DNA sequence: ATCATTTGACCTGC
DNA sequence: GCAGGTCAAATGAT
């Protein structure tokens, strides 16, 4: 566990070292920035891996572990890295878009596209379809419908839980509301239709279809349609956020999502213990089984709904002009990690 | 009271 | 006409 902590601290240090760079990002070498980000990501990935090993060795947590592994089946490490990369890039990107960090660079799109699309090996394959995103039709219109392959479509495969409620689709960090289910010709299992929980509040057009594979009932095929436009920060304005174009829209909107379960556990966030804020782990159509809560797995605690978004807020909003946000956020994260560690 | 899920009916593209 | 996608009333959970 010492090694784990030192890895975490190393990552924090690297991130802190990066902070002064943020002040004058415009003048900075993007490649340099990218490599530093890569380094930070590597360190945290190592820490995460290390944590897994330690958990395996811990008899105290054996039972809890099994539950974790069953409910959150093995995620390909490459996906973990992908996720971290994406979040890091998004974090910077969203700030660039918001003009909080001035830059004339092309960091965002190149990096974002790379981070967002290059994935595939292992348990999670991703295919990207067309990307002609269209505005949502006016609500007064009669049931506007698109042509079948008109909207942006992304299909991924994700493992289903092998124990407990295997009906639950995998958590992807968003909160979804089921609005339909349909038997599909030639498929053994019905297809579930979900839309973003915040559809009403933010006119978020995001949808997904979840279908269990015929040949592998422990695998879901999840098809996403349209991007989230809901900026799900707790401090988000009440006015619907402006639409962002193309890739950047998809990237920034995921910023608001919750961390995936494997990360959430490492942060000590959604897990067993403190208080009653189990809400964070409940988000998404698939998160429920973890907390052992009832069948209504998509319920969530509104106050603890968007931890990552909050993190971003702390990082860039809190203290407004004082430049120590980086320190603040990592101090807070250190505390979380320590707290989580003590539980073990 | 509010919000999520279920499910049969309805609508639309092919 | 069929299959897939969505609506919306009924129902349940909190």
């Amino acid at each position: 566990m010492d090694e784990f902590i030192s890895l975490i601290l190393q990552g924090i240090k690297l991130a802190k070292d990066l902070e002064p760079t943020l002040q004058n990002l415009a003048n900075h070498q993007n490649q340099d920035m990218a490599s530093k980000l890569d380094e930070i990501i590597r360190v945290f990935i190592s820490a995460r891996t290390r944590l897994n090993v330690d958990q395996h060795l811990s008899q105290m947590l054996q039972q809890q572990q099994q539950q974790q592994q069953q409910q959150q089946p093995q995620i390909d490490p490459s996906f973990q890295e992908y996720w971290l990369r994406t979040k890091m890039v998004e974090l910077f990107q969203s700030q660039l878009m918001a003009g909080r960090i001035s830059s004339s660079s092309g960091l965002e799109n190149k990096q974002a596209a790379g981070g967002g699309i290059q994935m595939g090996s292992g348990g999670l394959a991703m295919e990207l379809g067309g990307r002609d995103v269209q505005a949502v039709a006016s609500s007064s219109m009669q049931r506007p419908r698109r042509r079948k392959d008109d909207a942006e479509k992304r299909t991924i495969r994700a493992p289903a839980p092998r124990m407990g409620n295997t009906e639950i689709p995998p958590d992807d960090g968003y909160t979804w509301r089921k609005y339909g289910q349909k038997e599909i010709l030639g498929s053994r299992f019905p297809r579930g239709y979900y839309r973003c929980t915040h559809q009403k509040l933010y006119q978020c057009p995001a949808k997904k279809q979840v279908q269990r594979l015929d040949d592998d009932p422990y695998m879901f095929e999840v098809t996403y349609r349209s991007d989230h436009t809901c900026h799900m920060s707790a401090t988000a304005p009440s006015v619907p956020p402006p639409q962002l174009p193309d890739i950047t829209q998809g990237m920034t909107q995921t910023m608001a999502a919750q961390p995936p379960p494997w990360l959430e556990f490492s942060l000590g966030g959604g897990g067993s213990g403190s208080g009653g804020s189990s809400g964070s782990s409940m988000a998404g159509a698939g998160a429920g089984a973890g907390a052992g809560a009832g069948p209504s797995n998509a319920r969530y605690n509104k106050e603890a709904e968007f931890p990552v978004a909050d993190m971003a807020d702390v990082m860039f909003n809190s203290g407004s002009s004082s430049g120590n946000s980086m320190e603040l956020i990592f101090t807070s994260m250190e505390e979380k990690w320590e707290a989580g560690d003590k539980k073990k």
Side-chain angles (χ1 to χ4, degrees):
Chain A
M1 200 44 94
D2 287 344
E3 190 182 337
F4 166 69
I5 292 171
S6 72
L7 278 169
I8 293 293
L9 292 175
Q10 188 188 345
I12 290 167
K13 181 179 181 305
L14 286 168
K16 279 180 180 173
D17 290 345
L18 198 59
E19 184 178 14
T21 313
L22 295 176
Q23 309 298 332
N24 45 10
L25 188 61
N27 304 326
H28 204 79
Q29 294 288 334
N30 290 328
Q31 234 173 359
D32 192 15
M33 170 70 77
S35 66
K36 283 181 177 173
L37 286 175
D38 282 344
E39 199 176 349
I40 295 168
I41 290 165
R42 266 199 306 276
V43 171
F44 279 120
I45 294 281
S46 303
R48 170 64 194 165
T49 308
R50 178 73 210 176
L51 182 62
N52 273 344
V53 172
D54 285 332
Q55 282 176 336
H56 276 291
L57 292 174
S58 167
Q59 286 187 342
M60 296 277 289
L61 287 173
Q62 199 171 19
Q63 198 173 5
Q64 181 188 347
Q65 254 229 359
Q66 283 169 355
Q67 285 176 355
Q68 284 182 21
Q69 286 179 353
Q70 284 153 2
Q71 287 154 5
Q72 296 154 21
Q74 305 292 333
I75 303 290
D76 191 329
S78 67
F79 179 59
Q80 294 186 14
E81 183 170 356
Y82 155 77
W83 190 90
L84 262 178
R85 274 178 191 278
T86 309
K87 293 301 167 193
M88 292 291 266
V89 170
E90 286 163 6
L91 201 57
F92 286 102
Q93 197 174 40
S94 61
Q95 298 311 309
L96 289 168
M97 294 294 293
R100 288 180 184 138
I101 300 174
S102 63
S103 169
S104 57
S105 75
L107 170 70
E108 46 290 353
N109 280 340
K110 287 174 195 165
Q111 290 251 345
I117 295 172
Q118 291 171 3
M119 63 177 290
S121 70
L124 237 105
M126 176 182 251
E127 303 147 21
L128 287 179
R131 42 177 55 264
D132 48 328
V133 183
Q134 295 185 345
V136 191
S138 135
S139 59
S140 63
M141 292 173 69
Q142 244 189 1
R143 254 205 232 190
R145 299 202 180 185
R146 319 180 149 144
R147 296 170 64 85
K148 280 188 176 174
D149 44 8
D150 204 21
E152 181 187 19
K153 266 172 84 172
R154 302 178 298 278
T155 302
I156 68 164
R157 291 186 177 187
R162 301 203 171 231
M163 295 282 284
N165 190 352
T166 57
E167 300 293 313
I168 298 173
D171 179 20
D172 54 13
Y174 289 100
T175 55
W176 299 96
R177 175 176 177 164
K178 190 174 188 176
Y179 66 90
Q181 177 167 305
K182 188 94 181 162
E183 297 290 336
I184 298 301
L185 209 74
S187 297
R188 280 197 293 158
F189 305 101
R191 177 179 298 167
Y193 297 89
Y194 298 83
R195 65 164 58 104
C196 179
T197 302
H198 307 93
Q199 186 204 33
K200 282 184 183 172
L201 192 60
Y202 293 114
Q203 286 83 46
C204 179
K207 287 178 189 166
K208 75 171 178 180
Q209 299 174 0
V210 178
Q211 177 138 35
R212 200 179 285 261
L213 296 182
D214 279 344
D215 48 352
D216 186 1
Y218 290 110
M219 190 68 78
F220 283 112
E221 184 171 275
V222 186
T223 301
Y224 294 91
R225 286 186 172 184
S226 301
D227 287 328
H228 289 267
T229 57
C230 49
H231 284 210
M232 301 190 287
S233 163
T235 57
S238 55
V239 184
Q243 294 255 353
L244 295 171
D246 206 12
I247 287 179
T248 49
Q249 176 185 342
M251 300 305 281
T252 47
Q253 45 101 4
T254 39
M255 264 307 297
Q258 296 175 329
W262 47 263
L263 186 60
E264 214 170 351
F265 269 95
S266 71
L267 289 170
S272 48
S274 59
S277 66
S278 58
S280 62
S281 69
M282 297 295 288
S296 181
N297 59 55
R299 300 269 169 154
Y300 51 90
N301 181 337
K302 284 178 184 170
E303 311 223 340
E305 192 177 358
F306 310 119
V308 172
D310 289 346
M311 191 169 106
D313 278 345
V314 168
M315 206 159 170
F316 292 98
N317 283 335
S318 70
S320 55
S321 58
S322 80
N324 240 358
S325 48
M326 206 70 167
E327 184 147 353
L328 205 157
I329 182 65
F330 279 110
T331 305
S332 144
M333 288 170 79
E334 277 183 77
E335 284 168 7
K336 277 193 172 185
W337 275 316
E338 281 171 14
D341 205 27
K342 276 173 191 169
K343 283 179 201 163
K344 308 187 163 88

